[in-house]
């Protein structure tokens, strides 16, 4: 199979039939062997019934239904796990991503040697105040922090070599940073393509301003995980040892001063240096233990279930 199209969705019933027909037209005109995997992330509007009907019309349509809303990252994880195509395309279900971009993105993966191709919505049809400006700030921070030089981390239209999606773990709210996860996993051929952005035709967006706040928090998380996720002792252990040395230094100074330099002076417990030394050594010990426990957790961690699937179609 050449292409797997993974589409996470939440309450997008109105757009599904039109999106399916558009994708099928593009696939057939380019003679692609394909599958369309819809992941229903707990919709309450009849989206699953539409997916079921589409699967009866087209055997290339497959579906995964979550028991409740678990989030876009979990939906993508389930879709990646099920995908069988040599190239995996992700796109949103709201008709704002243009399926006509798929053939060129497929070519960039298969012929140009790219492992990830990320869409760039250079011209957007969103609110300037609530989406465009915050998105530009967010993307700038993401570029500086991650080192991945993409203009649009939030674009849902992306193409991946199959090896990439099988190697990475998408969880929490990390769907914005799949190219960063790919880079951290050793896939360095990451490119981008200017794609056409469509105005939303049906319904309303499921994301508000809080997604940018969450995005910045996730950015800090992924920076930390990429630097110290596999070696937490290198951070916490180093900070712990440093704090302990500072505390021990103060304690040693107080001891020498009391025993040899000024034996008749005030009590050690009446000096602020005593409490600085005590606090620093306690914090240093705690940080060292945190690093040690982190190392044990990293080595003993098993994959946990982050979502519950209630139904499947053609899978």
């Amino acid at each position: 199979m050449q292409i797997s199209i993974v589409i996470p969705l939440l309450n997008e019933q109105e757009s599904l039939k039109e999106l399916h027909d558009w994708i099928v037209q593009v696939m057939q005109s380019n003679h692609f062997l394909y599958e369309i995997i819809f992941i229903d992330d707990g919709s309450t509007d009849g989206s699953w019934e539409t997916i079921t009907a589409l699967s009866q019309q087209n055997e290339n349509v497959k579906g995964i239904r979550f028991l409740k809303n678990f989030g876009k990252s979990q939906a993508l994880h389930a879709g990646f796990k099920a995908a069988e195509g040599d190239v995996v395309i992700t796109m949103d279900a709201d008709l704002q991503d243009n399926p006509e971009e798929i053939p060129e993105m497929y070519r960039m993966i298969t012929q140009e040697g790219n492992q990830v191709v990320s869409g760039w919505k250079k011209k957007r049809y969103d609110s300037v105040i609530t989406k465009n400006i915050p998105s530009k700030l967010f993307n700038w921070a993401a570029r500086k922090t991650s080192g991945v030089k993409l203009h649009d981390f939030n674009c849902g239209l992306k193409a991946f070599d199959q090896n990439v999606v099988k190697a990475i773990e998408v969880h929490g709210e990390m769907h914005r940073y799949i190219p960063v996860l790919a880079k951290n996993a050793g896939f360095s051929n990451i490119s981008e393509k200017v794609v056409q952005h469509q105005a939303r035709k049906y319904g309303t967006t499921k994301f508000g301003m809080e997604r940018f706040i969450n995005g910045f928090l996730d950015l800090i998380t992924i920076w930390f995980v990429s630097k110290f996720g596999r070696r937490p002792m290198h951070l916490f252990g180093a900070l712990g040892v440093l704090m302990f040395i500072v505390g021990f230094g103060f304690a040693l100074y107080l001891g020498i001063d009391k025993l040899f330099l000024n034996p008749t002076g005030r009590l050690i417990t009446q000096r602020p240096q005593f409490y600085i030394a005590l606090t620093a050594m306690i914090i240093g010990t705690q940080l060292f233990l945190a690093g040690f426990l982190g190392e044990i957790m990293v080595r003993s961690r098993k994959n946990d279930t982050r979502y519950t699937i209630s139904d499947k179609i053609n899978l």
Side-chain angles (χ1 to χ4, degrees), residues 1-106:
M1 186 177 295
Q2 294 170 291
I3 297 178
S4 294
I5 302 172
V6 176
I7 306 175
L9 62 105
L10 175 64
N11 295 332
E12 298 286 359
Q13 181 184 18
E14 293 177 304
S15 63
L16 292 179
K17 178 67 167 61
E18 186 174 339
L19 176 62
H20 165 269
D21 294 345
W22 196 358
I23 292 173
V24 169
Q25 185 271 323
V26 172
M27 294 296 103
Q28 290 179 347
S29 64
N30 289 274
H31 307 290
F32 285 133
L33 297 175
Y34 71 97
E35 64 180 357
I36 305 172
I37 305 175
F38 290 105
I39 304 95
D40 183 354
D41 187 21
S43 295
T44 57
D45 68 343
S47 293
W48 183 250
E49 288 72 19
T50 301
I51 294 169
T52 302
L54 291 173
S55 69
Q56 294 170 352
Q57 301 171 19
N58 182 359
E59 64 181 6
N60 295 315
V61 172
K62 303 176 181 181
I64 297 172
R65 185 185 192 186
F66 284 177
L67 194 61
K68 65 169 189 147
N69 177 233
F70 286 97
K72 187 174 181 179
S73 293
Q74 282 60 241
L76 287 173
H77 182 274
F80 289 165
K81 189 174 180 180
E84 298 179 353
D86 297 329
V87 174
V88 178
I89 305 289
T90 63
M91 62 189 309
D92 295 334
D94 55 11
L95 294 173
Q96 290 192 282
D97 294 331
N98 190 337
E100 302 287 349
E101 307 285 355
I102 293 176
E104 178 62 17
M105 298 181 86
Y106 174 81

Side-chain angles (χ1 to χ4, degrees), residues 20 54 92 128 165 209 225 298:
H20 165 269
L54 291 173
D92 295 334
V128 174
V165 301
M209 284 294 293
V225 170
V298 167

Side-chain angles (χ1 to χ4, degrees), residues 248-260:
F248 184 78
F250 272 110
L252 184 63
Y253 161 75
L254 290 172
I256 293 174
D257 183 64
K258 185 63 178 176
L259 292 174
F260 303 107

